[in-house]
Amino acid sequence: MSKSTRVPGYMQSKGARNRGPLGDREIRYKCSMQNTILDVLRARPGWQEVSGPNPPQQQQLQQQQQQEKKGSQNSAPSNQLPTTTSSRSSEGDWDFHWCDREWLHANYDTMFLQEHQKILHFRNHYELTRKNLMVKNLKRLRKQTEREMGKKEAESFDFYPTTYELPSEYHIFVEEFKKNQGIIWIMKPAAKSQGRGIFLFRKLKDITDWKKGEYQPLTDPNREVPETYVVQRYIEDPYLIGGRKFDIRVYVLVVSYNPLKVWLYRSGFARFSNSRFSLDSIEDAYVHLTNVAVQKTAPDYDPDKGCKWATQQLRSYLTAKHGSDAARRVFQGIDNIIIKSLQSVQKIIINDKHCFEMYGYDVLLDDKLKPWLIEINASPSLTASGKDDYDLKHGVLNDVLNVLDLENRLTGKEKRVGGFDLIWDDGAVTTDDGAMECSVNSVSTTSNSFLGCHCDRKKHLREIYTAAQALKKSTPS
């Protein structure tokens, strides 16, 4: 269809709109969030927001109520969505949906997705993002690797602290605790974020009251099942800058699990604690937790100054202080964490070509510059804490859409799109000649990974779109 005869999406029938090539019409989107992602979607040329209710449950409930009133014997079971054409079409009138996890869990199994539709989150994303399941899957793959390839190869999984799930592994944890008297442990709710419910302890009696409150026998049948926690050996020797602890937020985009296809964003940030690090006050969250949600409540927190460094700033600091080789090993270690963790759930995640995932990895360095995986977030915060943070997240989200390429402007062979670099495509991805923008003292690697490197994303986007357009014009249709 030529540009002159292109029909706007709102003038097309629903059937035609669902079937038509996205490159020839507007892209209709839905968004469950009210933060940076909504700003990005609303500002994107050729994209139009779909109004109206989100979940189909309202229509389902109305249909069931009508059937009950009529005394129909053919009413659909209460746990299934009636498969009427109207219910599917009313819910499917979109091309892209940035949904929250709750919406996905409530609706995914009852949805019919058109060929072109894209939706945030894989069905069972929690296999990687719940703290207990993440460690369980990593342990399983590590054992398999050791069995098939030997202990040396299994050592590449040594990037997460000793971890146990409570209450199911409480007695195993007690045995381990008694072998290592005096060390510090950290307790974390398995399914919470932003530092909620986390605390540190040194003595087993320190969690006695907590244990009684959380895990007392369920004599009352109406009492809720105890919340699952993980207990981890606390990293007591974190790498400090200015006497303060920090972790690194890394953005990872997965567009497929089968085959595994992974994009790594060059920019991110280091989140610093507001107080100087000390093991003398393990109850002080401002010392030990780097979550912005925690730090911004500190009495002396300065919102203008904040507690963040850009990843580029951190890489430059490590290079200047420890040398380019040491800095490169740090970021290669982070690459290893990303790939190994994704491989641990590759055969478990329900792969769907309609789904994608943008993870927020949290990584901590110890004083030997070894990276440790702290957690993986399925919904990393998209609310900006300042202008620089907003610009970063705005760029990340725009480039997520650029990689997904609903407009069909790319060739599909790109190894870099804006700030994202393709680091795994059913195997490690090597960089093209001349693509290095982060070599120091002429030292480079063949990996197409540039976390913390310079990123002129707008210039690069102009170049790849121009190249893609020229290639398409020269290629016979």
Side-chain angles (χ1 to χ4, degrees), residues 98 120 122 128 249-255 257 260-268 334-335 337-339 341-342 356-363 373 375-380 396 400 403 419-421 423-424 449 451:
W98 192 283
L120 178 65
F122 290 88
L128 186 64
R249 167 58 57 84
V250 181
Y251 293 106
V252 176
L253 173 64
V254 176
V255 296
Y257 268 98
L260 183 61
K261 190 168 185 177
V262 186
W263 296 80
L264 173 63
Y265 203 69
R266 295 189 177 198
S267 301
I334 295 176
D335 289 348
I337 288 174
I338 292 169
I339 298 304
S341 60
L342 294 172
F356 67 96
E357 200 78 56
M358 190 190 79
Y359 296 109
Y361 275 68
D362 292 337
V363 178
L373 175 60
E375 65 178 307
I376 304 172
N377 300 275
S379 298
V396 172
V400 167
V403 170
F420 275 109
D421 295 297
I423 64 170
W424 195 270
S449 175
L451 179 60

Side-chain angles (χ1 to χ4, degrees), residues 268-326:
F269 52 84
R271 304 179 299 182
F272 286 82
S273 62
N274 197 61
S275 303
R276 295 179 68 86
F277 183 79
S278 171
L279 294 177
D280 296 333
S281 54
I282 63 173
E283 73 285 348
D284 191 341
Y286 301 131
V287 172
H288 299 283
L289 304 184
T290 59
N291 308 73
V292 175
V294 173
Q295 294 298 328
K296 68 181 182 181
T297 64
D300 56 344
Y301 177 76
D302 184 349
D304 295 326
K305 183 179 179 181
C307 293
K308 291 182 179 180
W309 269 15
T311 314
Q312 285 85 347
Q313 186 178 0
L314 174 63
R315 184 159 191 156
S316 296
Y317 176 90
L318 294 176
T319 299
K321 188 163 185 177
H322 302 283
S324 58
D325 287 345

Side-chain angles (χ1 to χ4, degrees), residues 375-391:
E375 65 178 307
I376 304 172
N377 300 275
S379 298
S381 173
L382 301 180
T383 301
S385 58
K387 182 182 183 303
D388 290 342
D389 197 41
Y390 181 85
D391 290 343

Side-chain angles (χ1 to χ4, degrees), residues 56-68:
Q57 280 87 348
Q58 294 178 356
Q59 182 178 4
Q60 176 186 2
L61 181 61
Q62 292 173 354
Q63 290 174 341
Q64 290 176 350
Q65 289 174 341
Q66 291 173 357
Q67 289 172 339
E68 290 171 357

